[in-house]
Amino acid sequence: LDSVTATAGVALENERRYEELRRVKDRNAALLDAVPDLIFRIGMDGVYRDFKAEDPGILTAAPSEIVGSSLHDLLPREVAARIIECALRARAADSVEAVEYQLELRDGLRDFEGRVVYAGQDEFLLIVRDFTERKQQEEALRHVSGELERRLSELERERDFIAAVVNTAPAMLCLTDSQGRIVRLNRALERASGWADDGEIQGRYFWDVLIPPDAVESTRRNFEELVAGGKPAQREFPLLTKAGDRLDVEWIARPVRDHEGRVRLLFGGLDVTHRKRQED
């Protein structure tokens, strides 16, 4: 009776283990089916033992020709050698090794990324993903980034050139926002007005700083007409210096847009004080 009981216990335990192994096998099979990549079982001698391919179009041979063939039969010699080297490293270090290579298929040159892991029983798994589109996107992104950097460098040189021209121009230049607040002065206007292009003047209404009190009202009207009409305007009105001197200036004003698309007003002025005196 004891031997019968023991035998029955062993049988039950074996059945339990069998069911557990079957569940593990089914779960692993389901996981493999869910993986979209190519999966190859390959012996350490380089011979294909099994494979899974969702898209046979990216195989280097007909599905019926793969099992039993060698890596060296179906792949370029250099690619096959690199895969075998990865398999040897994976077995020696118990690690996952990566390899990238290109293959000429029916639809052209394709890029592949392979992961190699030693699976015991003198074989390894090669999991392969076609990343041609991703590589093309990366190449396109690098090209666009390079083009943007080149264009940015051009814009920076253009900005520096324009800044140099603006600051060396003999004409007085004043940039304001659409409300009339000062954004920038060039050096000619700094020298003529006595004001520095800094926080002391920036942000203030230009007619409160650069225009004599008796001309503020007419200046504001002219400014409002320019903003409303959006057309270039030419006006002659006086400039008040920081020291309190009065200069006769002929101004040309234009609406412009900055790099962020905001409306600015650019005033270009010529000191006509001496000419006016000569005319008088």
Side-chain angles (χ1 to χ4, degrees):
L1 182 61
D2 290 341
S3 66
V4 172
T5 302
T7 301
V10 170
L12 289 173
E13 179 63 19
N14 287 340
E15 184 176 351
R16 185 188 65 78
R17 290 181 178 178
Y18 170 77
E19 288 297 323
E20 183 178 341
L21 288 173
R22 188 178 62 79
R23 287 194 298 271
V24 170
K25 177 178 176 296
D26 291 343
R27 184 169 64 249
N28 289 342
L31 288 173
L32 287 175
D33 289 338
V35 174
D37 304 317
L38 292 168
I39 301 177
F40 299 95
R41 285 179 54 221
I42 306 173
M44 294 302 297
D45 57 358
V47 175
Y48 290 97
R49 298 180 178 180
D50 198 3
F51 73 96
K52 182 187 81 73
E54 296 291 333
D55 179 13
I58 59 176
L59 296 173
T60 56
S64 59
E65 300 174 357
I66 293 179
V67 176
S69 297
S70 169
L71 283 168
H72 298 281
D73 297 331
L74 304 183
L75 299 177
R77 178 175 300 180
E78 188 269 338
V79 174
R82 290 171 59 195
I83 292 175
I84 292 296
E85 290 174 2
C86 284
L88 293 172
R89 290 198 302 270
R91 181 175 65 178
D94 190 24
S95 61
V96 177
E97 299 293 325
V99 59
E100 293 185 7
Y101 54 91
Q102 290 183 321
L103 295 177
E104 187 70 44
L105 302 181
R106 286 170 296 184
D107 60 347
L109 194 65
R110 309 290 293 181
D111 293 281
F112 294 93
E113 180 183 59
R115 301 283 174 164
V116 178
V117 58
Y118 183 66
Q121 298 181 347
D122 202 35
E123 70 177 24
F124 64 91
L125 292 180
L126 173 62
I127 303 172
V128 179
R129 175 167 296 180
D130 182 348
F131 74 117
T132 306
E133 284 75 19
R134 189 190 78 192
K135 190 169 183 180
Q136 290 172 346
Q137 291 170 356
E138 290 173 351
E139 288 291 338
L141 181 60
R142 280 193 290 270
H143 175 74
V144 171
S145 297
E147 183 64 22
L148 287 175
E149 289 179 4
R150 185 189 65 80
R151 182 58 182 150
L152 179 60
S153 178
E154 290 179 356
L155 289 173
E156 288 175 345
R157 290 196 298 271
E158 183 178 345
R159 179 202 61 193
D160 294 342
F161 172 76
I162 292 173
V165 170
V166 166
N167 282 321
T168 56
M172 294 177 281
L173 296 174
C174 177
L175 185 68
T176 76
D177 64 13
S178 59
Q179 304 301 313
R181 290 183 287 261
I182 296 173
V183 177
R184 290 293 309 275
L185 306 179
N186 76 335
R187 289 175 187 163
L189 184 52
E190 285 183 304
R191 289 192 295 268
S193 68
W195 289 95
D197 183 28
D198 57 22
E200 186 179 2
I201 193 172
Q202 290 172 358
R204 298 171 65 179
Y205 290 101
F206 80 89
W207 49 75
D208 289 343
V209 182
L210 300 175
I211 304 300
D214 62 322
V216 167
E217 189 60 34
S218 59
T219 301
R220 291 188 62 172
R221 283 198 306 270
N222 289 336
F223 180 84
E224 291 168 359
E225 290 174 6
L226 175 64
V227 172
K231 297 179 180 179
Q234 183 169 341
R235 299 285 187 273
E236 186 178 304
F237 51 86
L239 172 72
L240 181 66
T241 70
K242 190 175 184 180
D245 298 324
R246 187 183 182 110
L247 302 177
D248 292 310
V249 177
E250 188 176 274
W251 295 93
I252 297 177
R254 258 177 214 283
V256 295
R257 291 186 181 274
D258 67 9
H259 64 287
E260 295 181 352
R262 294 173 298 191
V263 175
R264 299 290 194 229
L265 280 300
L266 179 63
F267 294 86
L270 292 176
D271 186 351
V272 294
T273 306
H274 296 297
R275 190 193 74 187
K276 292 276 292 190
R277 289 174 181 170
Q278 290 172 352
E279 289 175 354
D280 291 342

